[in-house]
């Protein structure tokens, strides 16, 4: 089908978002696990001042958040948006966050490392996302002294991050490959290439709605450019495989029925659990990309996948909800968005 003919045009049909994460530490301080609260506060202040008082135009768009002052719901929402880690919100003492106003950049202070810079962009844009990460990293480097070894590179608490300190990842929608049963075999092959594919929220998590994270595993002895190029090439191969599988899948009347029933439920249901919503949105997303659904915007579905998560939904509504009330509001929210 022509819908699946050009992989370059299909990249953003398969790749939902791109993320770059950089880990850095200040050379004059122990790693966070060995820092007392006074030391952690000093580190927070140094990093905050380095960014907010820098010469970059982007500096004015950051807000500094003491994590102990943030509501639990907002913290979990940041995890759902992949701007902070689950570990980061588990113990807030001495931790802080620098957050860009548009929500695309989060800098965790005193997580596993002094600095965990995370940037998320929509679609397949590794070079663009890394370029922004590199600019912010350079801005911080102008005012801070990072722990760095000429042979090893950037020093980090976890040995697997030593070197570039970079993790590059893409969020992939792979419904056809999941249905074909190919994911387990793919995971083994990707490990041999220095990459790993995981569930929606990283290591040890399940894939909801056939959404996966693909990221580099190797940061020592390889440049950022080489790591990104490797991830980019493998992502394109996965896109090719997914597109090929979709060509077969879309011909099935059962697939078309699943897609259209999913859209009907989303437009009419009065109760919707998060798991059900994600799986239905996944089906509709497939239907849009396959040309089965013409009147729903792909970007709207991408946004809904994030917006209907439990804590993010409650944050948007500015109220705490019981599970049942949340399911009611989620259904209301989705119906309104799909009008």
């Amino acid at each position: 089908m022509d819908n699946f003919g050009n992989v370059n045009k299909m990249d953003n049909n398969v790749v939902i978002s791109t993320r770059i994460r950089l880990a850095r530490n200040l050379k004059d301080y122990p790693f966070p696990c060995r820092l007392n609260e006074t030391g952690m506060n000093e580190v927070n202040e140094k990093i905050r001042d380095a960014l907010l008082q820098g010469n970059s135009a982007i500096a004015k768009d950051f807000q500094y958040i003491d994590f102990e002052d943030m509501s639990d719901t907002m913290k979990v929402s940041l995890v759902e948006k992949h701007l902070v880690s689950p570990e980061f919100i588990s113990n807030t003492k001495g931790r802080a966050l620098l957050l860009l106003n548009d929500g695309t950049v989060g800098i965790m202070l005193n997580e596993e490392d002094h600095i965990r810079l995370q940037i998320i962009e929509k679609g397949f844009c590794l070079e663009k996302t890394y370029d922004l990460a590199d600019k912010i990293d350079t801005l911080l480097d102008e005012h801070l002294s990072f722990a760095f070894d000429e042979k090893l590179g950037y020093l980090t608490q976890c040995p697997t991050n030593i070197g570039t300190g970079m993790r590059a990842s893409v969020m992939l929608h792979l419904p056809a490959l999941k249905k074909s049963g190919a994911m387990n075999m793919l995971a083994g092959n990707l490990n041999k290439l220095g990459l790993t594919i995981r569930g929606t929220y990283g290591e040890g998590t399940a894939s909801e709605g056939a959404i996966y994270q693909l990221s580099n595993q190797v940061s020592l002895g390889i440049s950022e450019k080489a790591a990104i190029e490797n991830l980019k090439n493998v992502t394109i191969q996965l896109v090719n495989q997914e597109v090929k599988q979709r060509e077969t899948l879309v011909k099935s009347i059962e697939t078309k029925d699943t897609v259209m029933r999913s859209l009907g439920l989303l437009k009419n249901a009065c109760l919707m659990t998060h798991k059900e919503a994600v799986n239905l949105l996944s089906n509709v997303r497939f239907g849009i990309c396959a040309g089965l659904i013409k009147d729903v915007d792909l970007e709207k579905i991408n946004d809904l996948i994030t917006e209907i998560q439990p804590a993010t939904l409650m944050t948007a509504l500015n109220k705490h909800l019981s599970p049942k009330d949340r399911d009611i509001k989620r259904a209301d929210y989705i119906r309104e968005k799909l009008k």
Side-chain angles (χ1 to χ4, degrees):
M1 288 181 65
D2 289 342
N3 299 79
F4 298 112
N6 189 322
V7 174
N8 289 328
K9 291 180 180 178
M10 285 298 301
D11 287 348
N12 288 344
N13 285 353
V14 177
V15 184
I16 297 174
S17 61
T18 301
R19 180 172 63 163
I20 297 289
R21 190 203 74 195
L22 298 179
R24 299 287 186 262
N25 288 283
L26 308 191
K27 72 175 185 178
D28 296 327
Y29 291 86
F31 292 132
C33 65
R34 302 295 300 274
L35 264 180
N36 58 30
E37 193 169 354
T38 300
M40 294 175 90
N41 289 333
E42 286 180 16
V43 167
N44 288 342
E45 289 174 10
K46 283 181 178 289
I47 298 168
R48 178 195 65 197
D49 293 345
L51 181 67
L52 300 184
Q53 297 177 15
N55 295 322
S56 172
I58 201 174
K60 63 178 174 53
D61 295 323
F62 276 93
Q63 54 179 314
Y64 177 83
I65 303 167
D66 187 327
F67 229 53
E68 291 192 69
D69 296 335
M70 184 179 284
S71 72
D72 289 343
T73 302
M74 176 63 83
K75 292 172 190 171
V76 176
S77 176
L78 290 171
V79 174
E80 291 174 350
K81 294 175 180 177
H82 302 280
L83 284 166
V84 304
S85 65
E87 196 279 332
F88 187 61
I89 70 170
S90 65
N91 179 10
T92 58
K93 193 171 291 294
R95 290 176 170 174
L97 179 70
L98 283 158
L99 186 66
L100 194 63
N101 290 335
D102 68 0
T104 59
V105 182
I107 306 175
M108 293 180 280
L109 308 185
N110 285 315
E111 193 231 31
E112 186 175 85
D113 297 292
H114 296 145
I115 296 171
R116 280 289 179 94
L117 165 64
Q118 299 199 122
I119 298 179
I120 298 175
E121 296 281 0
K122 294 179 179 180
F124 189 28
C125 50
L126 281 162
E127 289 89 350
K128 174 189 173 185
T129 310
Y130 174 73
D131 184 59
L132 178 55
D134 187 49
K135 282 182 169 64
I136 297 174
D137 184 41
T138 300
L139 176 64
L140 292 171
D141 193 33
E142 289 174 355
H143 302 278
L144 302 169
S145 296
F146 290 145
F148 186 84
D149 180 86
E150 289 297 330
K151 291 184 178 179
L152 296 175
Y154 291 103
L155 303 180
T156 57
Q157 182 177 313
C158 182
T160 59
N161 291 320
I162 289 174
T164 62
M166 184 190 78
R167 283 288 182 272
S169 64
V170 288
M171 194 75 75
L172 300 163
H173 184 219
L174 304 173
L177 286 174
K178 183 177 182 179
K179 189 171 180 62
S180 73
M183 293 310 301
N184 288 337
M185 182 182 69
L186 279 172
N189 292 337
L190 289 168
N191 282 333
K192 298 172 186 176
L193 298 172
L195 300 171
T196 183
I197 193 160
R198 296 167 172 167
T200 312
Y201 296 103
E203 189 172 4
T205 65
S207 164
E208 298 290 352
I211 296 172
Y212 297 86
Q213 283 190 61
L214 176 68
S215 62
N216 69 299
Q217 281 186 305
V218 180
S219 61
L220 181 62
I222 186 172
S223 69
E224 291 92 339
K225 182 178 179 181
I228 286 172
E229 192 65 24
N230 183 41
L231 177 59
K232 182 178 179 180
N233 290 336
V234 173
T235 299
I236 290 172
Q237 290 178 42
L238 275 178
V239 169
N240 269 299
Q241 292 181 50
E242 171 68 18
V243 167
K244 191 169 293 186
Q245 289 291 336
R246 288 185 186 188
E247 289 176 345
T248 301
L249 195 59
V250 77
K251 295 173 184 175
S252 161
I253 187 64
E254 288 81 9
T255 297
K256 295 175 183 177
D257 184 65
T258 297
V259 166
M260 302 317 293
R261 283 177 183 270
S262 297
L263 181 59
L265 278 170
L266 289 168
K267 284 186 171 183
N268 295 285
C270 297
L271 280 170
M272 187 73 65
T273 66
H274 174 246
K275 184 174 182 178
E276 181 184 18
V278 171
N279 286 321
L280 293 173
L281 287 167
S282 173
N283 294 337
V284 169
R285 192 181 193 283
F286 172 87
I288 294 169
C289 297
L292 299 175
I293 297 173
K294 307 287 189 182
D295 58 347
V296 180
D297 182 57
L298 181 62
E299 195 64 43
K300 185 177 290 185
I301 299 300
N302 288 343
D303 290 342
L304 274 171
I305 289 171
T306 298
E307 292 165 356
I308 52 85
Q309 296 177 102
T312 301
L313 180 66
M314 290 191 291
T315 299
L317 297 173
N318 197 27
K319 61 172 69 175
H320 184 78
L321 300 168
S322 69
K324 182 177 180 180
D325 286 340
R326 199 163 57 223
D327 292 348
I328 293 170
K329 291 296 184 182
R330 181 180 293 111
D332 291 345
Y333 189 86
I334 293 170
R335 289 200 314 274
E336 184 65 30
K337 289 285 184 177
L338 293 180
K339 274 185 178 179

